[in-house]
Amino acid sequence: MKFFIDTANLAQIKEAQELGVLDGVTTNPSLMAKEGIKGEENIKKHYVDICNIVTGDVSAEVISTDYEGMIREGDAFAKLHPQIVVKIPMIKEGVKAIKYFSSKGIRTNCTLIFSAGQALVAAKAGASFVSPFIGRLDDVCTDGVELIADIRQIFDNYGIRTEILAASIRHPMHIIQCAKVGADVATCPLSAILALLKHPLTDSGLAQFLADSKK
Ligand code: E4P
């Protein structure tokens, strides 16, 4: 399973990249705003900065909701760097935009996926990734991991090659559960990735080895 980091924070992206297990980055308008990145030119520059830190895919999200606006923004993002994947919301105009980008060979990530039907439509339009938001589903008493499993089954039934990008990950068990049901990618906060490394028996075992080495 690929690991993406879900942030626009350059220090966190660098830290994850230096760990050596990072395959890409996802951002969204809220994450950009959290870092104080405003205005089209600053946003574009920030995406290029991210691409210069990592070696993998970098999802850049459009803010237009009409077809023409999404095409204009997405075309501009795609020209910034070969690692850019244009992130498009799951709305009717977005599906048309995904079809357009796919016909041009520009990769897309269809975001705000909350049902298997939405994932199937995005895949049929040619999305490179679909992003089911599992944490937000869990927040409303709906099993987010079950949605990943349903999409996996549907894509496997038809040999659909669109990658399932589990998003809205809140904790390390989400990552493990998504890996068990076959998500292709998990996009996570840095804290969830780092939490995978931790085990109290590792810490106590290492402390014992170091103490014994001094005997
Ligand atoms: C995905 O690409 C989104 O940026 C993200 O995972 C949303 O997560 P949230 O529900 O924690 O905002």
Side-chain angles (χ1 to χ4, degrees):
M1 184 170 64
K2 293 182 197 166
F3 283 178
F4 287 3
I5 187 168
D6 194 30
T7 184
N9 182 287
L10 297 183
Q12 287 188 16
I13 293 169
K14 271 187 203 128
E15 188 177 340
Q17 176 67 22
E18 282 163 12
L19 193 59
V21 297
L22 190 69
D23 300 294
V25 179
T26 52
T27 60
N28 62 40
S30 306
L31 293 171
M32 291 297 253
K34 196 171 160 194
E35 300 307 317
I37 316 295
K38 287 184 205 146
E40 208 169 313
E41 288 315 307
N42 289 334
I43 288 172
K44 283 190 200 159
K45 184 191 170 300
H46 202 73
Y47 282 132
V48 173
D49 289 346
I50 294 173
C51 290
N52 288 335
I53 296 171
V54 301
T55 47
D57 299 324
V58 175
S59 284
E61 184 161 347
V62 300
I63 50 169
S64 301
T65 54
D66 61 302
Y67 176 77
E68 286 75 20
M70 284 190 246
I71 300 304
R72 184 187 59 77
E73 276 187 75
D75 272 335
F77 284 152
K79 283 192 189 109
L80 291 175
H81 202 283
Q83 285 165 238
I84 292 282
V85 175
V86 180
K87 201 173 177 192
I88 308 271
M90 171 31 82
I91 53 175
K92 203 165 156 190
E93 297 293 286
V95 172
K96 294 181 199 165
I98 289 167
K99 185 74 192 176
Y100 163 87
F101 287 121
S102 139
S103 72
K104 297 268 170 202
I106 293 172
R107 293 176 308 140
T108 53
N109 171 1
C110 186
T111 190
L112 290 165
I113 295 279
F114 293 95
S115 77
Q118 291 179 320
L120 184 56
V121 171
K124 281 185 70 69
S128 317
F129 299 92
V130 286
S131 287
F133 277 33
I134 67 168
R136 292 193 196 187
L137 279 171
D138 287 357
D139 289 345
V140 294
C141 283
T142 303
D143 190 338
V145 175
E146 203 173 291
L147 173 60
I148 302 287
D150 286 348
I151 299 171
R152 177 78 283 153
Q153 185 186 344
I154 291 166
F155 283 11
D156 288 351
N157 283 348
Y158 296 99
I160 292 171
R161 291 167 64 189
T162 299
E163 293 187 62
I164 303 170
L165 195 172
S168 187
I169 298 263
R170 300 280 160 78
H171 49 72
M173 280 314 291
H174 265 158
I175 304 176
I176 302 299
Q177 290 160 345
C178 286
K180 282 170 80 174
V181 298
D184 298 291
V185 190
T187 189
C188 323
L190 180 61
S191 59
I193 298 174
L194 293 178
L196 291 175
L197 277 61
K198 297 297 290 177
H199 198 287
L201 290 178
T202 304
D203 297 340
S204 60
L206 180 60
Q208 186 68 56
F209 285 155
L210 295 179
D212 289 347
S213 75
K214 292 190 184 101
K215 284 180 188 164

